[in-house]
């Protein structure tokens, strides 16, 4: 099913470091891998050591051709999450290139388990930003539908060159960047996220004339800093996307000023793939996630929660029918994101439904505060959580990372209180400040508030 989507030409398909292979060679390597994996049966659960290299993609396609259920394990996945995953869905096979990964190399497999896995090509994990991640089942049909939808909506073609520096273990790297390019006959350049430093990515984009790239907002902040030291020519970029976190207007405007390339936002969930894309950058609506792609059916619930439906929808959470039922409204997925829509039909995320803070009966969402904090250049990152309080029920807590060690934190906290007092109601003003050197994050870069 997946192999039929790949061209068989001699055109360049994949590049990683000094390794380059054509589509014809890719087919050959996949067929060889299928033979090597003769011991794997359909519907068996296979954990793989997922790295951003050509061998990983060959393994993906070979296992899908054998109708196995692939569980890509990111090297940055925490030990607690790995143990939880092993408890819930232990592998029947483990394929690991990294001899130094003690956990993966010492896993005990059991061929008698997981015989209830049905029609799942891929398992991904929810971000786990508020607790342990949920195990997301994605059917082969849903994964292919997502890929083709992204390819067609973004008009990815054989002439496109895509740079993937975000993990292949996540939707952002796999079915947003890599698979749509391969299904279109384009070329994918793979880089290790751990060594994909901003100046290296800029050099790669310029050298290889990359046309399609996507990353997190923080990466584009680094790009803007690098532009002060060196002039980079990024004119080849047809699509420069930002996802997985809120984009600051200053980041987008500075990027356009430095590189003359518009920065576009995308929005989606692992449970359904891409939902919205903002392609109309001339409108200067940088905070908007754009409009739903044509394949998405949607409506807003009474409280503003976005509900979506598509053939790209997941099959459910593994062994968690209750959580699956709670996320569904009929055949629609409840995104848990609250959305507003302007007069031009542009969507904006206004908050996370389950992320509400209740101060003496007054409720608000951290998103409102976090968006405002993007305007302060003294900090590189921030987020808001809540803390139980005997008098007020809950109080908002502001977590911050200073841009400079020389920052006078006491003065900055007073500045925050003054400016917040001019813009927000009293109950939204942070009552506690916590400074960090770094935030705990998922492998894709989402802040794990549950660990703060």
């Amino acid at each position: 099913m997946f192999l039929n989507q790949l061209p068989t030409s001699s055109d360049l398909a994949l590049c990683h470091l000094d390794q380059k292979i054509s589509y014809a060679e890719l087919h050959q390597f996949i067929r060889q891998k299928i033979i090597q994996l003769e011991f794997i049966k359909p519907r068996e659960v296979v954990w793989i050591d997922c790295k951003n290299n050509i061998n990983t993609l060959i393994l993906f396609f070979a296992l899908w051709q054998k109708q196995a259920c692939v569980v890509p394990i990111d090297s940055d996945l925490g030990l607690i999450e790995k143990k939880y995953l092993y408890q819930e869905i232990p592998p029947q096979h483990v394929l690991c290139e990294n001899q130094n990964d003690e956990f993966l190399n010492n896993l005990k497999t059991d061929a008698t388990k997981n015989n209830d896995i049905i029609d799942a090509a891929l398992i991904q994990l929810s971000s786990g930003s508020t607790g342990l991640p949920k195990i997301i089942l994605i059917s082969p049909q849903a994964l292919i539908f997502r890929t083709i939808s992204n390819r067609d909506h973004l008009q990815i073609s054989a002439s496109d060159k895509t740079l993937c520096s975000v993990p292949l273990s996540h939707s952002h790297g796999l079915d947003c960047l890599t698979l749509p390019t391969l299904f279109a006959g384009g070329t994918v350049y793979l880089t290790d996220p751990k060594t994909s430093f901003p100046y290296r990515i800029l050099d790669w984009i310029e050298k290889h004339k990359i046309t399609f790239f996507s990353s997190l907002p923080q990466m584009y902040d680094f790009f803007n800093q690098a532009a002060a030291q060196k002039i980079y020519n990024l004119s080849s970029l047809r699509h420069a996307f930002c996802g997985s976190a809120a984009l600051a207007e200053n980041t987008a405007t500075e990027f356009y000023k430095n590189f003359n390339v518009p920065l576009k936002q995308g929005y989606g969930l692992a449970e359904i793939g891409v939902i919205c894309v903002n392609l109309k950058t001339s409108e200067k609506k940088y905070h908007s996630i754009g409009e739903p792609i044509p394949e998405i059916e949607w409506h807003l619930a009474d409280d503003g929660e976005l509900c979506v439906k598509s053939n790209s929808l997941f099959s459910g959470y593994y062994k968690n029918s209750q959580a699956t039922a709670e996320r569904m409204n009929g055949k629609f997925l409840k995104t848990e994101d609250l959305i507003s829509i302007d007069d031009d039909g542009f969507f904006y995320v206004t908050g996370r439904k389950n992320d509400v803070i209740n101060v003496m009966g007054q409720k608000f969402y951290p998103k409102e505060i976090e968006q405002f904090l993007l305007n302060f250049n003294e900090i590189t990152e921030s987020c808001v959580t809540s803390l139980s309080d005997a008098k007020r029920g809950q109080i908002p807590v502001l977590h911050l990372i200073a841009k400079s060690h020389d920052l006078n934190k006491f003065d900055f906290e007073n500045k925050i209180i003054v400016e917040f007092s001019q813009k927000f109601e009293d109950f939204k003003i942070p009552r506690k400040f916590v400074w960090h050197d770094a935030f705990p994050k998922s492998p894709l870069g989402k802040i794990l508030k549950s660990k703060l």
Side-chain angles (χ1 to χ4, degrees):
M1 183 182 292
F2 286 87
L3 276 181
N4 293 338
Q5 302 293 336
L6 295 177
T8 57
S9 66
S10 59
D11 293 336
L12 188 59
L14 294 167
C15 298
H16 176 244
L17 300 177
D18 295 328
Q19 186 183 9
K20 299 180 179 180
I21 65 172
S22 68
Y23 279 97
E25 290 170 323
L26 178 58
H27 275 272
Q28 179 183 349
F29 289 136
I30 293 171
R31 288 194 294 269
Q32 291 173 353
K33 183 63 69 174
I34 290 172
I35 295 173
Q36 294 171 9
L37 300 177
E38 60 181 355
F39 56 90
I40 294 178
K41 299 179 177 61
R43 296 184 180 175
E44 288 190 322
V45 175
V46 184
W47 283 29
I48 69 170
D49 175 25
C50 190
K51 301 188 181 307
N52 277 33
N53 60 31
I54 293 175
N55 289 337
T56 294
L57 282 170
I58 291 171
L59 196 54
F60 267 123
F61 280 100
L63 289 169
W64 287 333
Q65 197 68 14
K66 293 185 70 66
Q67 301 177 50
C69 176
V70 183
V71 184
I73 304 298
D74 193 287
S75 60
D76 284 339
L77 191 66
L79 184 59
I80 292 176
E81 286 78 11
K82 288 179 182 177
K83 289 182 176 179
Y84 163 75
L85 191 60
Y86 181 71
Q87 175 184 335
E88 295 298 315
I89 184 165
Q92 288 156 305
H93 306 280
V94 177
L95 304 178
C96 183
E97 291 183 357
N98 184 6
Q99 300 302 316
N100 296 321
D101 193 320
E102 184 177 350
F103 183 82
L104 285 183
N105 285 311
N106 291 327
L107 280 185
K108 294 182 179 179
T109 59
D110 188 342
T112 66
K113 293 186 177 181
N114 303 316
N115 56 8
D116 56 340
I117 289 288
I118 298 175
D119 195 30
L122 181 67
I123 281 182
Q124 291 188 329
L125 301 179
S126 63
S127 64
S129 57
T130 57
L132 284 172
K134 291 187 282 291
I135 300 168
I136 300 168
L137 297 175
I138 304 172
S139 72
Q141 295 84 1
L143 183 56
I144 288 175
F145 188 87
R146 296 179 183 194
T147 300
I148 293 176
S149 296
N150 295 336
R151 178 197 66 188
D152 293 349
H153 188 62
L154 299 180
Q155 298 181 344
I156 305 300
S157 71
S159 62
D160 275 303
K161 297 179 179 180
T162 297
L163 176 60
C164 179
S165 61
V166 291
L168 284 173
S169 56
H170 294 267
S171 181
H172 197 161
L174 189 62
D175 54 270
C176 292
L177 287 169
T178 301
L179 292 182
T181 305
L182 292 177
F183 281 20
T187 304
V188 177
Y189 292 78
L190 296 165
T191 68
D192 182 354
K194 290 185 177 180
T195 58
S196 295
F197 306 118
Y199 69 90
R200 284 187 174 179
I201 294 178
L202 290 168
D203 284 337
W204 289 328
I205 293 174
E206 187 174 49
K207 176 182 177 181
H208 299 294
K209 299 187 184 307
I210 299 298
T211 63
F212 185 20
F213 176 76
S214 182
S215 191
L216 280 70
Q218 191 175 12
M219 182 61 73
Y220 290 103
D221 286 327
F222 290 139
F223 287 173
N224 288 332
Q225 295 173 25
Q229 307 298 323
K230 179 182 176 181
I231 298 175
Y232 293 91
N233 180 3
L234 306 188
S235 60
S236 63
L237 274 179
R238 189 166 65 87
H239 288 311
F241 274 104
C242 177
S244 301
L247 173 65
E249 182 173 348
N250 182 62
T251 301
T253 54
E254 283 297 307
F255 185 78
Y256 186 79
K257 177 182 176 182
N258 290 326
F259 304 106
N260 197 33
V261 175
L263 193 50
K264 309 167 184 177
Q265 275 209 85
Y267 162 77
L269 301 171
E271 287 87 347
I272 198 169
V274 173
I275 297 172
C276 293
V277 176
N278 187 355
L279 295 178
K280 299 179 181 178
T281 52
S282 61
E283 299 290 339
K284 307 291 185 184
K285 299 186 179 185
Y286 297 113
H287 294 317
S288 173
I289 56 174
E291 303 164 287
I293 64 174
E295 291 78 9
I296 294 289
E297 294 183 50
W298 64 273
H299 67 266
L300 295 185
D302 292 340
D303 59 359
E305 181 181 12
L306 178 64
C307 300
V308 291
K309 183 176 75 169
S310 169
N311 290 334
S312 62
L313 190 63
F314 74 142
S315 302
Y317 298 118
Y318 181 63
K319 286 186 176 178
N320 200 337
S321 57
Q322 180 179 348
T324 302
E326 289 173 352
R327 284 301 297 272
M328 301 301 295
N329 180 9
K331 294 185 178 180
F332 282 82
L333 173 74
K334 296 186 286 188
T335 65
E336 298 183 343
D337 285 317
L338 303 176
I339 299 292
S340 65
I341 307 174
D342 68 16
D343 293 338
D344 298 319
F346 282 72
F347 281 40
Y348 300 82
V349 179
T350 59
R352 189 78 175 153
K353 186 173 182 178
N354 296 328
D355 202 17
V356 66
I357 297 177
N358 188 339
V359 181
M360 299 178 68
Q362 301 276 4
K363 298 179 181 180
F364 72 99
Y365 294 93
K367 176 77 174 180
E368 181 181 7
I369 306 299
E370 291 166 349
Q371 193 72 44
F372 184 65
L373 288 165
L374 295 172
N375 299 316
F376 293 87
N377 294 324
E378 296 94 333
I379 54 177
T380 58
E381 289 187 274
S382 62
C383 71
V384 178
T385 63
S386 63
L387 184 66
S388 297
D389 181 79
K391 292 182 178 180
R392 302 172 68 88
Q394 289 181 320
I395 57 171
V397 179
L398 185 51
H399 300 264
L400 302 161
I401 297 177
K403 181 175 290 187
S404 170
H405 292 296
D406 299 328
L407 177 67
N408 187 315
K409 296 176 181 176
F410 179 79
D411 288 347
F412 182 73
E413 289 175 9
N414 285 332
K415 175 184 176 180
I416 286 285
I417 292 173
V418 170
E419 296 204 22
F420 271 49
S421 298
Q422 296 172 355
K423 182 174 179 62
F424 299 109
E425 299 93 329
D426 177 74
F427 65 89
K428 296 179 182 178
I429 299 174
R431 302 290 167 172
K432 183 177 181 179
F433 295 81
V434 182
W435 292 88
H436 302 261
D437 293 326
F439 287 144
K441 293 183 177 180
S442 71
L444 191 57
K446 288 188 175 181
I447 298 173
L448 300 176
K449 291 186 177 183
S450 61
K451 295 187 176 182
L452 286 174

